[in-house]
Amino acid sequence: MKNNNNLLGSASTAVMRQFLHAARDYGIEPEDALEACGLPSGVLDNQISRTTGSDLQSLLRWLIEKSGDPLFGLHIARHTSNLAPIASLVIWQ
């Protein structure tokens, strides 16, 4: 699934950690997700490291498919301190 197109810029791996933390709610192990997307398991070892935007997008796309939840991206907000209150309002209304 890995896309080598770097037109999407780069992203902090902190975002990946949020995605993978949310994925555990669906029984998805982070290592499985990284392997399926062709990402090295060590990508999450460094708090300040970055990844390509296309790798991040590939991971999110895979997580949506694997979870079976088309609103997976919205549900990630439950795991972010800044967006959790907003997500709760949107999800439950």
Side-chain angles (χ1 to χ4, degrees):
M1 283 190 92
K2 189 171 178 181
N3 180 349
N4 290 322
N5 183 348
N6 290 326
L7 296 176
L8 296 176
S10 67
S12 169
T13 55
V15 176
M16 278 188 167
R17 281 189 292 279
Q18 291 174 344
F19 289 1
L20 295 169
H21 183 70
R24 285 192 166 153
D25 289 350
Y26 297 88
I28 300 169
E29 290 299 319
E31 296 80 13
D32 295 340
L34 292 172
E35 182 179 336
C37 294
L39 299 170
S41 60
V43 74
L44 300 178
D45 292 345
N46 185 343
Q47 293 276 340
I48 59 170
S49 67
R50 300 190 67 77
T51 188
T52 66
S54 58
D55 283 349
L56 185 65
Q57 189 177 60
S58 292
L59 176 63
L60 181 56
R61 199 174 285 131
W62 186 88
L63 290 170
I64 290 168
E65 290 175 18
K66 183 73 171 175
S67 70
D69 183 358
L71 298 178
F72 181 87
L74 179 62
H75 294 151
I76 289 170
R78 293 181 186 166
H79 298 277
T80 61
S81 59
N82 295 335
L83 298 177
I86 295 169
S88 295
L89 290 174
V90 172
I91 291 169
W92 301 116
Q93 289 193 3

